């Protein structure tokens, strides 16, 4: 985050001095100079068009040709709304501090006599005075600048997320109801061929907060119609829990003691079922049917298990992909929501939030180097002026008393921060 | 060859006599079924058919997120009900505690299994049946925790019965994999679960499977049912001698096996 300083003075010697002082005091800064208001505006517009901000302007009050520094500042602020200025002048009394502050002036440097300038603003126009004044301004500018940079990054992030989200969401949705992958079906077909089974069915059960979803697919990957029994009472649940194959070389159906036959199981002859996958929330089993008599034997176990291991790996990969899509979609949605709440319209950067928290935890932040808030000062000054206009000098005296008592209240104590 | 001075002891440990003892019903013994839940209605239907009295059955459902749900008499999968049925077929008077570690999510993690074992032990189960196991890769960093849960149960006097993998020793399942198989089961020695047989070969080589009695799953021999049969037998023996320690029970089972071998029944 590099700051930039524009200094404007019609005297070449002054500009040369300023450049030397600023280069020595702020070697990382970008320095811009102009000899009059027109050149200053050209520089300002060029910077804006290049996407760069001018943070600080050091302006001579008397720019010649009837234009003063304050008027130039108003024009500069039209191009760089966040610009703050230091006014170099021997004529500070020609404008009220309030008007100047409202325009963005945060400091004065006296070229000559300083009558009419408050004690706090009476720094001399010399190297230490300029460097100190610019440092004070940087102290005010940097948090706001970080905030603006943060907001810009968040906006870029948000735009990217908005563009990405529909793609990820549709990928997640597409995979939700997807049939088993070709690889999984190929493994099922292999098991069927290797064992001599007449048919194969893959049972897939998923469980989440929304409840249980049990689906069955034939060897072509087509979802089987008709209702399925609750997984807890199914043959598939049994083989998944036992972790091993089950062989029934008999007609399937009738009383089954604790197991309800699925519609696609009943009426079959001979069955070999084996677990494919068992984990919290996901279970799968492969069922092979209708092997001619005498049915499945020992050799079929090995073939089916080998195919099952391949199928299990493929299924794991498919489910992992689906989970990844879902997690990614959720994460992106969450990030989008977070970005919208992290930077609500008009506000807090992480620095400001941190400062607020520090204030909330430890009371008012009384550190003497705390950044001066120009807007708050303007609001206070305007309020005092309105009060004085309405109520006369006695109101001003009262305001002074309030300020004094506030100062006493906030004065550091012996054991304070 | 001098006669075996312990021959009389061995002779007294006739499995047929001990397991047929009128008091060997599992009465007073609580068996934890850490599994996929138990379907109460299925067991009641079996009891109505006179296979055993109406079961004394309680339960709990452990959720993967660490919470619990009350037992609603339903299974999360048929496996646990087959296990419970096998236990009751031996020890009809045993009270069962169904610890459903599968729950509605349908999958058992190492963390839930550890919780299930600890729950069964804390609930006062004398025998904890674990007709399930996790592969090494599924244990992850909970291997030590699972072993500690098993040891905790053992040293608190609870009999922990865990099924080895059906493909043992080519595949290893835990917690059974923490120890060599104690009592391999002779597959197909008897068709009826009531004639369940156990055989210890030398050296301890896993030999076989057992059949369950319930539904389509019970027809396929599997270590899950073998473990359940053994839990039922353990409950029978513990009802003969309440307070028997796990190592006493293991010794008794071993001697009973010796007696069976000596008697030529295996």
């Amino acid at each position: 985050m590099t700051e930039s300083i524009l200094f404007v003075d019609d005297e070449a010697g002054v500009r040369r001095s300023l450049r030397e002082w600023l280069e020595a005091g702020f070697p990382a800064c970008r320095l811009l100079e102009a000899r009059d208001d027109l050149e200053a505006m050209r520089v300002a517009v060029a910077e804006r068009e290049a996407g760069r901000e001018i943070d600080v302007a050091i302006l001579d009050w008397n720019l010649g040709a009837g234009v003063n520094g304050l008027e130039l500042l108003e024009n500069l602020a039209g191009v760089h709304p966040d610009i703050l200025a230091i006014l170099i002048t021997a004529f500070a009394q020609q404008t009220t501090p309030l008007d100047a502050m409202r325009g963005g002036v945060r400091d004065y440097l006296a070229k000559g006599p300083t009558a009419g300038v408050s004690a706090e603003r009476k720094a001399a126009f010399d190297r230490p005075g300029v460097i100190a004044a610019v440092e004070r301004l940087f102290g005010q500018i940097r948090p706001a600048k970080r905030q603006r940079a943060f907001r810009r990054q968040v906006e870029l992030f948000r735009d990217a997320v908005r563009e990405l989200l529909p793609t990820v969401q549709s990928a997640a949705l597409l995979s939700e109801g997807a049939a088993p992958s070709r690889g999984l079906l190929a493994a099922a077909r292999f098991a069927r061929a290797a064992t001599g089974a007449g048919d194969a069915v893959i049972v897939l059960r998923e469980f989440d907060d929304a409840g249980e979803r049990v689906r069955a697919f034939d060897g072509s990957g087509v979802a089987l119609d008709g209702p399925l029994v609750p997984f807890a009472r199914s043959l598939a649940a049994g083989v998944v829990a036992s972790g091993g194959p089950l062989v029934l070389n008999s007609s399937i159906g009738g009383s089954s003691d604790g197991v309800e036959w699925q519609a696609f199981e009943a009426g079959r002859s001979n069955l070999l079922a084996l677990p494919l996958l068992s984990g919290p929330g996901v279970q799968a089993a492969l069922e092979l049917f209708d092997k001619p008599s005498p049915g499945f034997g020992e050799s079929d176990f090995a073939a089916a298990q080998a195919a099952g291991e391949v199928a299990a790996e493929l299924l794991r990969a498919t489910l992992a992909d689906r989970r990844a899509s879902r997690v990614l979609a959720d994460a992106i949605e969450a990030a989008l929501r977070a970005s919208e709440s992290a930077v609500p319209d008009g506000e807090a950067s992480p620095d400001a939030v941190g400062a607020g928290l520090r204030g909330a935890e430890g009371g008012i932040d009384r550190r003497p180097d705390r950044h001066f808030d120009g807007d708050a000062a303007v609001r206070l000054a305007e309020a005092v002026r309105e009060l004085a206009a309405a109520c006369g000098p006695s109101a001003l005296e009262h305001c002074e008393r309030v300020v004094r008592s506030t100062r006493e209240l906030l004065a550091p104590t012996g054991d304070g921060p | 060859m001098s006669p075996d001075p312990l021959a009389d002891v061995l002779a007294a440990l006739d499995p047929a006599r001990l397991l047929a003892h009128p008091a060997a019903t599992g009465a007073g013994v609580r068996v934890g079924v850490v599994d996929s839940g138990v379907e109460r209605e299925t067991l009641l239907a079996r009891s109505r058919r006179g296979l055993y009295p109406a079961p004394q059955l309680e339960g709990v459902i452990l959720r993967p997120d660490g919470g619990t749900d009350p037992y609603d008499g339903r299974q999360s999968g048929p496996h646990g009900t087959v296990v419970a049925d096998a236990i009751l077929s031996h020890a009809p008077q045993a009270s069962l505690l169904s610890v459903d570690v599968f729950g509605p999510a349908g999958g058992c993690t190492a963390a839930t299994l550890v919780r299930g074992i600890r729950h069964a032990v804390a609930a006062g189960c004398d025998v904890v049946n674990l007709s399930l196991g996790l592969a090494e890769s599924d244990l992850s960093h909970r291997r030590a925790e699972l072993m500690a849960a098993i040891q905790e149960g053992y040293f608190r006097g609870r009999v922990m019965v865990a099924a080895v993998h059906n493909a043992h020793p080519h595949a290893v399942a835990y917690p059974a994999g923490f120890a060599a198989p104690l009592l391999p089961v002779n597959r197909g020695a008897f068709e009826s679960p009531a004639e369940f047989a156990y055989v210890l070969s030398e050296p301890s080589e896993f030999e076989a499977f057992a059949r369950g009695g319930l539904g389509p799953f019970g027809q396929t021999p599997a270590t899950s049912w073998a473990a359940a049969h053994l839990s039922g037998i353990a409950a029978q023996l513990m009802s003969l001698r309440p307070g028997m320690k796990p190592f006493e029970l293991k010794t008794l089972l071993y001697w009973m096996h010796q007696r069976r071998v000596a008697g030529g029944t295996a």
Side-chain angles (χ1 to χ4, degrees), chain A residues 3-255:
Chain A
E3 285 82 13
S4 62
I5 304 172
L6 168 66
F7 50 93
V8 186
D9 201 297
D10 56 347
E11 295 177 44
V14 172
R15 293 200 304 276
R16 194 164 49 247
S17 297
L18 274 170
R19 178 169 285 280
E20 286 173 8
W21 299 341
L22 293 170
E23 280 177 346
F26 308 97
C29 273
R30 178 178 167 77
L31 298 177
L32 307 162
E33 64 175 89
R35 61 178 176 274
D36 56 29
D37 60 324
L38 291 177
E39 191 177 9
M41 288 307 296
R42 274 200 294 273
V43 170
V45 169
E47 288 297 294
R48 169 52 64 205
E49 285 174 349
R52 294 189 291 262
E53 291 181 63
I54 297 177
D55 301 297
V56 171
I58 301 175
L59 307 174
D60 190 8
W61 169 263
N62 184 7
L63 291 169
V67 177
N68 65 42
L70 203 55
E71 289 163 341
L72 171 58
L73 180 58
E74 284 180 17
N75 293 332
L76 288 173
V79 184
H80 295 275
D82 300 309
I83 194 167
L84 295 179
I86 296 165
L87 212 54
I88 305 166
T89 180
F91 311 103
Q93 70 280 13
Q94 291 184 4
T95 182
T96 66
L98 186 59
D99 290 340
M101 288 187 76
R102 196 183 290 143
V105 175
R106 291 292 181 269
D107 226 327
Y108 293 91
L109 294 173
K111 254 183 179 175
T114 55
V117 179
S118 66
E120 291 83 358
R121 300 281 176 248
K122 224 166 18 184
F125 178 67
D126 54 18
R127 178 175 169 151
V130 167
I131 289 176
V134 171
E135 276 179 345
R136 276 197 297 275
L137 278 198
F138 280 174
Q140 297 173 36
I141 287 167
R142 280 174 180 148
K145 194 168 179 177
R146 275 199 294 272
Q147 178 184 337
R148 288 196 296 276
F150 174 71
R151 288 178 63 89
R152 270 198 301 277
Q153 292 299 319
V154 169
E155 281 161 11
L156 286 173
F157 169 77
R158 207 180 283 169
D159 290 345
V161 164
R162 283 186 181 129
E163 198 174 324
L164 179 64
L165 187 57
T167 307
V168 175
Q169 279 174 329
S170 51
L173 283 173
L174 279 174
S175 62
E176 286 293 340
S181 68
R182 289 182 176 206
L184 185 58
L185 293 171
R189 279 199 299 276
F190 169 77
R192 180 181 158 190
T195 59
D199 199 1
V201 170
I202 294 168
V203 180
L204 180 62
R205 185 250 191 183
E206 292 171 276
F207 181 87
D208 54 25
D209 293 339
E212 175 178 284
R213 188 167 63 254
V214 184
R215 292 176 292 153
F217 301 91
D218 69 12
S220 314
V222 176
L224 299 178
D225 291 333
L228 298 172
V229 303
F231 190 74
R233 298 187 58 77
S234 70
L235 190 84
V239 292
V240 163
S242 67
L246 166 73
V247 171
L248 290 175
N249 284 327
S250 58
S251 296
I252 309 300
S255 172

